[in-house]
Amino acid sequence: MEKKQYERPHIIKLNTGMPAKFGMMNDSFLMTHIEGIPVKDLINEHGSPLFVISEQVIRNTFRKAYKAFNTRYPKVQFAWSYKTNYLTAVSNIFHQEGAWAEVVSGFEYDKAIANGIDPKKIIFNGPGKSEEELITAANNGSLIHIDHPDELYQLINLAEATLQKPKVAIRVNMDTGIYPMWDRFGFNYENGQAWDALNKIMNSGKLELMGLHTHIGTFIMSANAYGIAAAKLAELTVGLYTKYNHTIKYLDLGGGFASKNTLKGSYLPGSDTNPGFDDYAEAISTALLNSPIKPENLPILVLETGRALIDDAAWLISSVIGNKRLPSGRRATIIDAGVNILFTSFWYQHQITPAQGHSQYREDTSLYGPLCMNIDCIRESVNLPQLNKGDKLVIHNVGAYNITQWMQFITLRPRVVLIDKDSQIRIIREREKLDNIQMQEQVPESLILHSDSVVFP
Ligand SMILES: *Cc1c(COP(=O)(O)O)cnc(C)c1O
């Protein structure tokens, strides 16, 4: 029998494990393996901290999402939101599953092309496209989603010289009952801006109006909001048919579906409360099928789902650096993963599970990262067993936005591995080295230090 670990006694307020003002006690069950692979081995082989992504979970989640829509609506097309996670291996799994690419910058556009996607299957969103980028996208027959009037006029101007009529949609913002409204992108529905833009496009004769787009926000907890959005886009679709006899090829409802994560301040875990793909699909397809759009004119339904497709497919493994007691008596545990690589810890209560056996005793703990910054807190309060120096823990649902928004700050960024569908571990992004950082820098001759140029008294 294994010898029980000694823990010194503590005196602490009784914690009954009932829901508190801040929600349920975090049930940090044990997670010693990820998809059958020991966490300890992953760290020994690839270093700590480490991002681990599961190909099978990505494929399963995608298929579940596709099925939710495809069983309710005849024509469905997903487009992978690059900014959510644009690692080539990850993007290409989505492309293999049939997703187009959805990009919001010239850099992401070039990355999608370099990944090997057909440019006709790229949706180019965002408020900041340069003239050169617009020309390239137009020449390639990519789908350009116009964000503001100046971009519209610029495209009409450029259209004289492009190899083909630019294929466009407009982004529409609207009141769907979600506040604050994301009204800084696109043309407003309620005040008529959207119609103004459509009239200009149709009368210019220079652009090929393919679709209508909206992206109402992110982590939207109401499926009903999508029903409202779909109904409003359907009304514009019918208006274009009535006035111009023009058939819209696709309606793009954007992204924004909630993942299974738990938002900060939530009373219950997100996996219990957040709407699922079926709920969103039901709201959107019902609104479109009940709209006055004629069945033969039903547009393709495009979805740019980001976080809900990838969040649950990734974990961040981290090691304990040390423990201490704060003056308040609270236990603080310092781990080697900071907020610079886990941006989402600012708005999620990420689930945390120990990766090795532990005793029964649990305690509310503050979990800090390794940065010398006060904001470097992964969880302000999480109920955890005693974790000792060198112990490992697993942070769940980290697939969305972390690997794109991470910062090289104080520490270097860690390796990312994929557990592929044959359970093989593949490195899909190498850890950063000092050289990667130095490579970008240049030092003027006069600022190169020589051994005699630094003199200590
Ligand atoms: C970020 C973004 C998405 C993806 O949003 P999620 O909330 O991650 O689903 C989709 N479309 C556009 C235009 C975006 O900017």
Side-chain angles (χ1 to χ4, degrees), residues 239-312:
L240 284 161
Y241 188 74
T242 309
K243 183 165 174 184
Y244 297 103
N245 202 25
H246 182 76
T247 310
I248 285 294
K249 299 257 187 331
Y250 68 88
L251 293 184
D252 181 345
L253 269 290
F257 301 159
S259 69
K260 296 285 170 251
N261 255 309
T262 306
L263 288 176
K264 275 196 173 173
S266 300
Y267 193 70
L268 292 164
S271 51
D272 293 349
T273 54
N274 303 352
F277 293 120
D278 285 308
D279 302 306
Y280 296 114
E282 187 65 27
I284 293 170
S285 59
T286 304
L288 293 183
L289 296 173
N290 289 355
S291 79
I293 301 175
K294 292 187 183 145
E296 66 270 24
N297 291 341
L298 271 183
I300 297 170
L301 169 60
V302 175
L303 298 152
E304 304 170 339
T305 312
R307 71 173 80 239
L309 285 177
I310 187 72
D311 234 0
D312 312 347

Side-chain angles (χ1 to χ4, degrees), residues 81 83-84 102 125 171 213 215 218 255-256 304-307 401:
S81 158
K83 76 172 186 292
T84 309
E102 185 272 327
N125 279 315
R171 177 159 174 176
H213 172 229
H215 172 60
T218 193
E304 304 170 339
T305 312
R307 71 173 80 239
Y401 295 101

Side-chain angles (χ1 to χ4, degrees), residues 170-201:
I170 62 163
R171 177 159 174 176
V172 182
N173 69 63
M174 56 181 72
D175 187 350
T176 59
I178 299 293
Y179 309 107
M181 246 169 80
W182 277 26
D183 54 11
R184 62 153 287 194
F185 301 107
F187 302 86
N188 185 253
Y189 173 87
E190 283 81 17
N191 73 7
Q193 277 175 353
W195 251 116
D196 292 349
L198 293 172
N199 282 325
K200 291 203 171 80
I201 291 170

Side-chain angles (χ1 to χ4, degrees), residues 31-47:
M31 188 167 183
T32 55
H33 292 63
I34 295 179
E35 304 210 320
I37 300 167
V39 168
K40 225 167 32 185
D41 293 0
L42 284 164
I43 294 254
N44 286 344
E45 184 74 16
H46 300 282

Side-chain angles (χ1 to χ4, degrees), residues 89-321:
V90 169
S91 305
N92 286 1
I93 295 172
F94 287 110
H95 296 326
Q96 283 180 353
E97 290 290 331
W100 293 354
E102 185 272 327
V103 303
V104 292
S105 70
F107 153 69
E108 288 188 2
Y109 185 89
D110 292 346
K111 198 162 195 310
I113 300 267
N115 288 352
I117 188 106
D118 176 354
K120 293 188 182 61
K121 297 179 176 175
I122 301 179
I123 294 172
F124 197 171
N125 279 315
K129 314 175 194 82
S130 73
E131 178 153 316
E132 202 189 337
E133 288 158 3
L134 286 171
I135 293 170
T136 307
N139 286 342
N140 285 342
S142 304
L143 301 160
I144 302 169
H145 286 188
I146 303 168
D147 179 76
H148 52 264
D150 281 323
E151 190 172 76
L152 170 58
Y153 305 140
Q154 190 178 13
L155 259 181
I156 290 176
N157 263 324
L158 294 173
E160 314 257 297
T162 52
L163 301 176
Q164 54 179 312
K165 249 191 187 184
K167 292 190 163 58
V168 302
I170 62 163
R171 177 159 174 176
V172 182
N173 69 63
M174 56 181 72
D175 187 350
T176 59
I178 299 293
Y179 309 107
M181 246 169 80
W182 277 26
D183 54 11
R184 62 153 287 194
F185 301 107
F187 302 86
N188 185 253
Y189 173 87
E190 283 81 17
N191 73 7
Q193 277 175 353
W195 251 116
D196 292 349
L198 293 172
N199 282 325
K200 291 203 171 80
I201 291 170
M202 293 312 295
N203 286 294
S204 80
K206 300 228 172 89
L207 306 175
E208 195 177 339
L209 181 64
M210 304 287 291
L212 299 170
H213 172 229
T214 190
H215 172 60
I216 60 176
T218 193
F219 218 95
I220 304 293
M221 296 285 276
S222 152
N224 185 48
Y226 285 91
I228 297 171
K232 289 184 174 176
L233 290 188
E235 196 187 307
L236 293 176
T237 305
V238 171
L240 284 161
Y241 188 74
T242 309
K243 183 165 174 184
Y244 297 103
N245 202 25
H246 182 76
T247 310
I248 285 294
K249 299 257 187 331
Y250 68 88
L251 293 184
D252 181 345
L253 269 290
F257 301 159
S259 69
K260 296 285 170 251
N261 255 309
T262 306
L263 288 176
K264 275 196 173 173
S266 300
Y267 193 70
L268 292 164
S271 51
D272 293 349
T273 54
N274 303 352
F277 293 120
D278 285 308
D279 302 306
Y280 296 114
E282 187 65 27
I284 293 170
S285 59
T286 304
L288 293 183
L289 296 173
N290 289 355
S291 79
I293 301 175
K294 292 187 183 145
E296 66 270 24
N297 291 341
L298 271 183
I300 297 170
L301 169 60
V302 175
L303 298 152
E304 304 170 339
T305 312
R307 71 173 80 239
L309 285 177
I310 187 72
D311 234 0
D312 312 347
W315 301 265
L316 176 59
I317 329 178
S318 179
S319 308
V320 173
I321 295 173

